Amino acid sequence: MANTAAATSMPFLWEGTDRNGKKIKGKSLASDEATVRADLRRRGVVPTRIRKQRKGLFAGGGTITSGDISIFSRQLATMLAAGIPLVQAFEIVGAGHENAAMQKLIFAIKADVEGGSALAEALAKQPLYFDDLFVNLVEAGEQAGALESLLDKIATYKEKTEAIKKKIKKALTYPAAVLAVAFIVTTILLIFVIPSFEDLFQGFGADLPAFTRMIIDLSFFVRSNGIYIVMIISAAVATFLYFLKRSRPFRHFLDRALLKAPVIGPILEKAAIARYARTLSTMFAAGVPLVEALESVAGATGNIVYEVGVLEIRDEVATGQRLQVAMENTGLFPNMVIQMIAVGEESGSLDAMSAKVADFYEADVDDAVDNLSSLLEPMIMAILGVLVGGLVVAMYLPIFKLGAVV
């Protein structure tokens, strides 16, 4: 019922005075004006003006990203740390959010909590945005009476994992973008520029160099079969995305191939280990049993190869095997990680040692991405220069040849 109400509600802007007579204003999400007025009176606010918010360019839509959830986690943790009640914290965070979709989500959770549901139950009703790890940690915090502390740990965890994701995206996006630009520039030259030179060369009455002839033939092929080339590329991309989303064996194959790839493979491996260690540390520090924690850790690694490996670790630990030995049996973790986990097990500080592993590998990922960017920049510029420069040289070779003959 709460989700349905939130889905059909509208944003209202209101102005009023609080118990001290101070003028205040804000924004609420409700089904009608009467509901807003009643909610304000419950909070001790005397409304003087209530109106529907006009839908601007971005008012009706918006998507919820993992970054939004990370920011929401930090805002909620900060509100509770300041002593603000949970429902009021939701009201403040939701009213101040510019993303309409995120605002609806926050008020849907608020409605569930006001209806008597535990926070973990309310979050579990939104599985697209709050995974088992998030819900389990909140539940552990509620049961232990330390929700404020656990939300702070969740916020820190989300911020760390988002930073890792951004680093990986940075490593992959820059070269992909430059190569895409190189492809577009090359295509434009082949379709629009090369034909002009071809018309010029026909008046020379002499044989063209083999390199020039090859480029002209390539230009003719692209112009004649361009529509088919676009269709084939589009079909290939669509097929790839289809299997990437729906085929677990394909994603397993792709993740394993990426881990073995030169340069980028070690970065992805370090990122997976960092996420594994960070999630394990957060879950264990929250008092979640190790076997149960490993279930959530598996899905948080971001790589199916490591996900399968962690599930194997969970099964071995459930039968009484030590975590150190179970990790060693997978063959996925460096010896340093295994030894630090072993020290953590023996000293009873598994959460602290896991956090140290995560800190080390997160810093290692940062350095690796920075080094990769420095290495790729000249390499990509060289590739771009060879592609564009090669086309230019091919077109001017006949002119140079003609000048040498004269």
Side-chain angles (χ1 to χ4, degrees):
M1 291 290 292
N3 287 353
T4 303
T8 58
S9 58
M10 299 168 288
F12 286 85
L13 299 176
W14 53 265
E15 298 176 8
T17 56
D18 61 12
R19 292 186 178 92
N20 299 321
K22 182 181 178 182
K23 290 184 178 181
I24 57 174
K25 59 182 179 179
K27 182 164 60 174
S28 297
L29 203 66
S31 56
D32 53 41
E33 183 176 329
T35 304
V36 177
R37 193 176 297 276
D39 181 58
L40 290 175
R41 285 174 177 167
R42 280 199 306 270
R43 292 158 51 190
V45 177
V46 178
T48 57
R49 184 185 182 194
I50 300 175
R51 60 185 176 87
K52 290 182 182 178
Q53 183 182 19
R54 293 181 180 179
K55 289 190 175 183
L57 183 61
F58 302 102
T63 57
I64 299 175
T65 65
S66 55
D68 290 327
I69 300 300
S70 175
I71 294 172
F72 163 73
S73 304
R74 175 55 64 192
Q75 289 175 323
L76 192 60
T78 303
M79 293 285 180
L80 293 183
I84 298 174
L86 183 60
V87 173
Q88 187 178 352
F90 276 115
E91 180 69 31
I92 295 171
V93 174
H97 218 291
E98 297 179 358
N99 186 335
M102 190 66 194
Q103 190 179 73
K104 287 182 179 181
L105 175 65
I106 292 171
F107 280 115
I109 299 170
K110 170 180 171 284
D112 281 337
V113 173
E114 280 184 315
S117 297
L119 178 58
E121 293 176 8
L123 296 176
K125 294 180 181 179
Q126 310 291 342
L128 289 178
Y129 312 112
F130 301 99
D131 54 17
D132 291 341
L133 185 150
F134 200 114
V135 174
N136 289 341
L137 287 175
V138 170
E139 185 177 11
E142 288 181 307
Q143 291 176 353
L147 182 59
E148 172 191 326
S149 173
L150 262 295
L151 280 172
D152 181 69
K153 290 183 182 295
I154 292 171
T156 301
Y157 166 76
K158 284 289 184 182
E159 289 163 355
K160 294 282 188 180
T161 52
E162 280 301 305
I164 286 285
K165 286 181 182 178
K166 288 179 181 178
K167 283 290 182 180
I168 298 299
K169 287 181 180 178
K170 177 184 175 182
L172 298 175
T173 301
Y174 175 71
V178 175
L179 290 177
V181 170
F183 175 78
I184 293 172
V185 170
T186 302
T187 303
I188 292 173
L189 290 175
L190 289 173
I191 295 176
F192 299 105
V193 179
I194 303 301
S196 301
F197 280 92
E198 184 179 2
D199 295 337
L200 175 65
F201 295 153
Q202 287 178 352
F204 283 4
D207 293 335
L208 297 176
F211 186 38
T212 304
R213 186 74 262 167
M214 182 184 71
I215 296 299
I216 290 176
D217 291 341
L218 178 61
S219 172
F220 177 77
F221 176 80
V222 171
R223 283 180 284 130
S224 302
N225 304 282
I227 184 65
Y228 302 110
I229 295 173
V230 172
M231 290 174 62
I232 291 172
I233 293 175
S234 300
V237 172
T239 302
F240 174 81
L241 294 177
Y242 175 85
F243 283 104
L244 185 64
K245 290 181 179 179
R246 293 173 172 81
S247 175
R248 187 174 176 84
F250 177 75
R251 285 190 289 127
H252 192 283
F253 166 79
L254 184 63
D255 282 352
R256 185 172 292 279
L258 287 173
L259 287 175
K260 293 181 179 179
V263 184
I264 193 67
I267 295 178
L268 295 177
E269 180 182 348
K270 292 171 184 176
I273 294 173
R275 284 194 288 260
Y276 165 84
R278 180 65 62 192
T279 310
L280 181 63
S281 172
T282 304
M283 295 289 284
F284 203 74
V288 179
L290 182 57
V291 175
E292 185 180 338
L294 287 170
E295 182 80 37
S296 298
V297 171
T301 57
N303 186 289
I304 290 186
V305 175
Y306 275 86
E307 180 181 339
V308 173
V310 174
L311 291 176
E312 292 174 357
I313 293 172
R314 179 205 60 186
D315 294 339
E316 291 190 31
V317 171
T319 60
Q321 186 67 273
R322 290 184 61 188
L323 178 60
Q324 168 206 355
V325 178
M327 288 175 58
E328 193 171 2
N329 291 339
T330 64
L332 295 174
F333 297 92
N335 186 60
M336 185 202 79
V337 176
I338 295 172
Q339 293 305 317
M340 290 186 72
I341 293 297
V343 172
E345 281 189 295
E346 292 173 1
S347 61
S349 57
L350 183 59
D351 54 338
M353 295 307 292
S354 297
K356 290 182 182 297
V357 171
D359 291 338
F360 175 81
Y361 275 93
E362 285 165 358
D364 213 5
V365 169
D366 286 349
D367 294 338
V369 170
D370 291 338
N371 292 336
L372 179 62
S373 300
S374 302
L375 176 66
L376 285 177
E377 284 180 11
M379 188 180 300
I380 290 173
M381 295 307 296
I383 293 173
L384 188 60
V386 168
L387 285 175
V388 178
L391 294 177
V392 173
V393 169
M395 293 302 99
Y396 278 95
L397 271 179
I399 299 175
F400 296 152
K401 183 178 179 181
L402 182 63
V405 172
V406 174

